[in-house]
């Protein structure tokens, strides 16, 4: 997080506070944040037993997925405990403070139009609405020139999918001519075609997104100035390092499925303080336990192949603690899963856990996102900037001062007024391997939520087989996966009601009809031994 004093920005710059600037980096393995938040109070075993004989459930991981699972299971009367290695559970939303005491949060987190389940949960908490209105956004190139803008689509007249997006952005592409944008149109077929025949998804998954774009004739300019920066922000890596299948899912959801899906709002402060802190309090009121500073180090199983207990090291005291369990949910990142598998033979002996440690699922991305929206700062002079660098391997060795200078330099490319900015407070946070990178061929390595252990389930935005349309919506998808993991626990242990998971808006009739027609035609062609020339 940077707080700067600067000359007043132009009106155009002020309107583009929700900006995304593409910044060049090399290896995409790490995440470095210069951003803002504050942590909720937790760590002590303050939950109360839900009754004699209540089934014991352990949830490992204190992010959106873990909190989603714990919240529902506590509401259903389970004796549920969340274990997290961080002293203040909250995933990448757990917070810190700058030297001058301002909130610092890891990562710039957008909340998109179809975050139905996250929005529902926040309403259930009965707290003041923590989100801004949906806001405009923009993309800048590495030369500092504005590539395009995105209006608030939900405030525009609603038109059929694809047509609405085209009409309402027609005059907003400042540096990308219509002739280049038109070369993207043939690619739209892939959004209709994905999953149309058996094995089709896997064939797309083995391609890179760059290979797919080239096969459909997308021009280099359209690729460099629109598709590539979009994916750097949405999927955290350039198209040459991304699965074409995951790329199609993400672009389809954000840009093609419905006119309003790209609309985004922001938390008016740190997610930790405004959302996770009251959520943790609600969980405790329901009898759930939040145990921060517990690093899971061991797994105990029985002869039937069920997990019976977890062993965790108390990071404060160094003592080993044993937690019995009737069911377990691992709601941790891929990097966390890799460390857990390497340390536990019981997991390493199972194929789905060995596969999840494949390097093709390594974390990383490249982007930066500035904003000025925290209510905490709205009456202060100057500007607050939160910048994320994904794929920041080359930046990790730099000093905090060098990172701050780089942020100011990059901002000045997009808005010259920042050239005279004076940094008065800042904080730099480093998070190696903090985000998921879906490489070509990664689908075969991603596990499903159910595992070969009868009572062990997985949750996170990286699992596959989640029957929910929130593709590309990392926070919503993670939270939904936590609810679905809770449902698997309910089904396994036979107590309580399943969580009611709100779906995304269904395909519009013309899109659904196009998919069905393509499925029928492709089915007939494949039955005759013919295959798509694009694959």
């Amino acid at each position: 997080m940077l707080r700067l004093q600067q000359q007043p920005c132009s009106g155009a710059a002020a309107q583009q506070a929700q900006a995304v600037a593409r910044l060049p980096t090399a290896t995409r393995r790490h995440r470095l944040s210069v951003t803002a938040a504050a942590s909720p109070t937790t760590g002590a075993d303050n939950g109360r037993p839900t009754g004699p004989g209540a089934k014991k459930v352990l949830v490992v991981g204190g992010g959106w997925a873990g909190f989603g699972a714990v919240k529902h299971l506590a509401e259903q009367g389970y004796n549920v405990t969340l274990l997290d290695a961080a002293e203040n559970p909250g995933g990448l939303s757990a917070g810190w403070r700058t030297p001058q005491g301002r909130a610092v949060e890891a990562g710039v987190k957008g909340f998109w139009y179809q975050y139905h389940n996250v929005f529902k949960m926040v309403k259930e908490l009965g707290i003041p609405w923590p989100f801004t209105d949906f806001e405009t956004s923009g993309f800048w190139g590495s030369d500092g020139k504005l590539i395009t803008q995105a209006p608030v689509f939900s405030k525009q007249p609603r038109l059929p999918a694809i047509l609405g997006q085209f009409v309402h952005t027609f005059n907003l592409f400042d540096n990308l001519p219509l002739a280049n944008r038109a070369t993207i149109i043939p690619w739209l077929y892939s959004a209709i075609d994905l999953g149309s025949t058996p094995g089709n998804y896997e064939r797309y998954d083995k391609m890179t997104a760059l290979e797919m774009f080239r096969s459909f004739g997308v021009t280099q300019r359209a690729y460099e100035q629109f598709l590539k920066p979009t994916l750097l922000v949405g999927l955290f890596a350039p198209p040459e390092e991304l699965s074409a299948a995951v790329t199609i899912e993400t672009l389809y959801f954000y840009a093609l499925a419905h006119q309003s899906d790209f609309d985004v709002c922001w938390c008016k402060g740190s997610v930790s303080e405004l959302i996770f802190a009251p959520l943790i309090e609600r969980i405790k009121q329901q009898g759930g336990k939040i145990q921060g500073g517990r690093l899971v180090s061991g797994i105990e199983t029985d002869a039937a192949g069920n997990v019976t207990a977890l062993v965790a090291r108390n990071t404060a005291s160094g003592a080993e603690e044993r937690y019995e369990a009737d069911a377990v949910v691992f709601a941790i990142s891929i990097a966390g899963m890799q460390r857990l598998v390497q340390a536990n033979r019981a997991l390493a002996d199972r194929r789905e856990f060995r596969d999840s440690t494949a390097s093709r699922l390594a974390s990383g991305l490249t982007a930066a996102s500035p904003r000025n929206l925290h209510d905490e700062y709205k009456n202060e002079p100057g500007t607050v900037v939160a910048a994320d660098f994904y794929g920041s391997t080359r930046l990790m060795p730099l000093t905090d001062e060098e990172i701050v200078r780089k942020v100011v330099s990059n901002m000045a490319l997009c808005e010259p007024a920042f050239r005279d900015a004076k940094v008065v407070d800042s904080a730099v946070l480093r998070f190696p391997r903090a985000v998921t990178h879906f490489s070509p061929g990664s689908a075969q390595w991603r596990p499903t939520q159910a595992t070969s252990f009868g009572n062990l389930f997985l949750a996170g935005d990286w699992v596959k087989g989640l029957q929910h349309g929130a593709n590309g919506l990392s926070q919503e998808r993670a939270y939904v996966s936590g609810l679905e993991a809770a449902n698997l626990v309910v089904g396994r242990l036979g107590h309580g009601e399943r969580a009611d998971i709100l779906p995304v808006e269904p395909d519009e009739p013309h899109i659904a009809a196009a998919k069905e027609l393509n499925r029928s035609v492709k089915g007939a062609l494949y039955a005759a031994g013919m295959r798509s020339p694009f694959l």
Side-chain angles (χ1 to χ4, degrees):
M1 186 275 284
L2 306 179
R3 178 169 173 258
L4 309 102
Q5 293 178 341
Q6 62 178 85
Q7 300 299 321
C9 293
S10 66
Q15 293 173 4
Q16 297 304 326
Q18 301 293 346
V20 179
R22 178 165 63 89
L23 304 174
T25 60
T27 307
R28 290 161 178 85
R29 296 284 184 184
H30 301 287
R31 172 177 186 159
L32 185 149
S33 289
V34 189
T35 176
S39 61
T41 57
T42 180
D45 185 353
N46 293 323
R48 64 183 187 279
T50 54
K55 297 290 187 179
K56 297 178 181 179
V57 183
L58 298 177
V59 177
V60 182
W64 285 103
F67 285 136
V70 170
K71 175 181 180 293
H72 183 70
L73 291 170
E75 292 171 345
Q76 300 308 304
Y78 285 94
N79 187 347
V80 58
T81 300
L82 183 144
L83 304 175
D84 193 84
E87 185 64 31
N88 299 302
L92 287 179
S93 290
W96 299 263
R97 289 274 167 179
T98 69
Q100 295 186 20
R102 295 179 175 86
V104 180
E105 185 165 59
V108 180
K109 300 171 181 65
F111 292 79
W112 304 85
Y113 189 82
Q114 296 233 29
Y115 269 36
H116 300 316
N117 293 281
V118 168
F119 292 148
K120 175 187 175 184
M121 178 271 292
V122 171
K123 291 178 181 178
E124 291 174 351
L125 293 177
I127 59 177
W129 193 244
F131 303 113
T132 67
D133 193 5
F134 293 110
E135 301 191 14
T136 58
S137 58
F139 286 86
W140 278 257
S142 58
D143 58 1
K145 293 181 179 180
L146 179 66
I147 298 172
T148 186
Q149 304 173 59
V152 179
F153 289 101
S154 57
K155 294 182 180 180
Q156 304 292 331
R158 178 152 183 174
L159 300 173
I162 302 177
L163 177 62
Q165 292 91 320
F166 176 77
V167 168
H168 297 311
T169 62
F170 183 81
N171 295 319
L172 299 179
F173 281 83
D174 291 10
N175 292 293
L176 187 60
L178 179 60
N180 284 276
R181 282 179 275 158
T183 65
I184 301 175
I185 294 176
W187 169 81
L188 297 178
Y189 171 71
S190 68
I192 301 297
D193 186 50
L194 186 68
S196 60
T197 55
N200 202 28
Y201 184 96
E202 289 73 17
R203 285 188 287 272
Y204 274 109
D205 182 62
K206 292 177 181 178
M207 301 173 63
T208 69
L210 176 58
E211 291 171 337
M212 175 186 63
F213 292 140
R214 286 176 174 170
S215 72
F216 282 101
V218 174
T219 64
Q220 186 68 16
R221 187 167 181 179
Y223 167 77
E224 289 287 348
Q225 295 191 3
F226 179 65
L227 293 171
K228 185 174 182 177
T230 299
L231 292 173
L232 287 172
V233 173
L235 283 174
F236 320 139
E240 61 268 23
E241 297 182 14
L242 289 171
S243 155
V246 174
T247 299
I248 293 169
E249 289 179 327
T250 300
L251 291 180
Y252 173 77
F253 186 87
Y254 280 123
L256 303 177
H258 309 92
Q259 178 180 303
S260 300
D261 286 354
F262 192 73
D263 286 357
V264 63
C265 62
W266 310 86
C267 190
K268 293 187 291 186
S270 75
V271 173
S272 294
E273 287 184 328
L274 298 189
I275 301 178
F276 281 173
L279 176 57
I280 288 171
E281 187 60 33
R282 173 63 62 88
I283 289 170
K284 291 179 179 179
Q285 291 172 0
Q286 296 290 333
K289 306 172 187 178
I290 307 294
Q291 296 279 48
R294 266 65 176 185
L295 180 63
V296 174
S297 57
I299 298 172
E300 298 179 12
T301 60
D302 61 18
N306 295 310
V307 177
T308 58
L310 297 180
V311 177
R313 180 173 59 83
N314 186 318
T315 58
S317 67
E320 296 288 332
E321 301 172 349
R322 183 176 181 273
Y323 297 83
E324 295 183 351
D326 296 296
V328 175
V329 175
F330 284 154
I332 54 181
S333 67
I334 291 172
M337 180 62 71
Q338 290 172 339
R339 290 190 292 268
L340 197 58
V341 171
Q342 291 167 3
N344 289 274
R345 186 72 183 183
L347 296 179
D349 285 342
R350 307 282 177 128
R351 179 175 178 178
E352 73 264 40
F353 294 101
R354 291 198 305 271
D355 287 349
S356 71
T357 65
S359 60
R360 305 177 192 199
L361 290 177
S363 305
L365 60 147
T366 289
S369 179
R371 61 191 169 117
N372 181 3
L373 54 88
H374 279 228
D375 280 356
E376 180 179 351
Y377 310 122
K378 64 183 179 182
N379 295 322
E380 292 196 24
T383 299
V384 176
V385 173
D388 278 356
F389 293 86
Y390 300 99
S392 54
T393 303
R394 286 188 173 182
L395 301 182
M396 287 289 180
L398 299 182
T399 66
D400 289 0
E401 291 74 18
E402 289 171 327
I403 297 295
V404 170
R405 287 198 295 270
K406 184 172 183 62
V407 172
V408 175
S409 173
N410 286 327
M411 288 296 301
L413 281 175
C414 303
E415 173 48 61
F418 278 94
R419 294 172 184 167
D420 299 322
K422 177 183 178 182
V423 178
V424 297
D425 194 13
S426 66
V428 177
L429 308 175
R430 292 170 169 81
F431 298 93
R433 300 175 63 81
V435 291
T436 305
H437 170 193
F438 297 103
S439 303
S442 61
Q444 63 181 315
W445 308 112
R446 293 164 60 189
T448 59
Q449 291 201 261
T451 73
S452 56
F453 292 99
N455 66 339
L456 172 59
F457 309 101
L458 304 180
D461 64 351
W462 53 281
V463 299
K464 67 179 179 183
L466 183 64
Q467 298 303 308
H468 190 271
N471 296 309
L473 301 179
S474 58
Q475 294 176 101
E476 173 79 356
R477 183 175 173 83
Y479 183 70
V480 167
S481 75
L483 295 179
E484 188 57 48
N487 288 342
L488 292 170
V489 171
V490 169
R492 169 73 181 185
L493 301 182
H495 172 74
E497 300 292 330
R498 291 173 55 86
D500 181 22
I501 299 175
L502 302 178
V504 298
E505 187 177 347
D507 287 329
E508 294 178 17
H510 64 291
I511 300 295
K515 285 185 174 181
E516 184 56 37
L517 176 61
N518 178 70
R519 188 177 295 110
S520 298
V521 172
K522 288 287 290 290
L525 292 175
Y526 271 56
M530 301 177 65
R531 295 293 184 267
S532 168
F534 297 112
L535 300 179

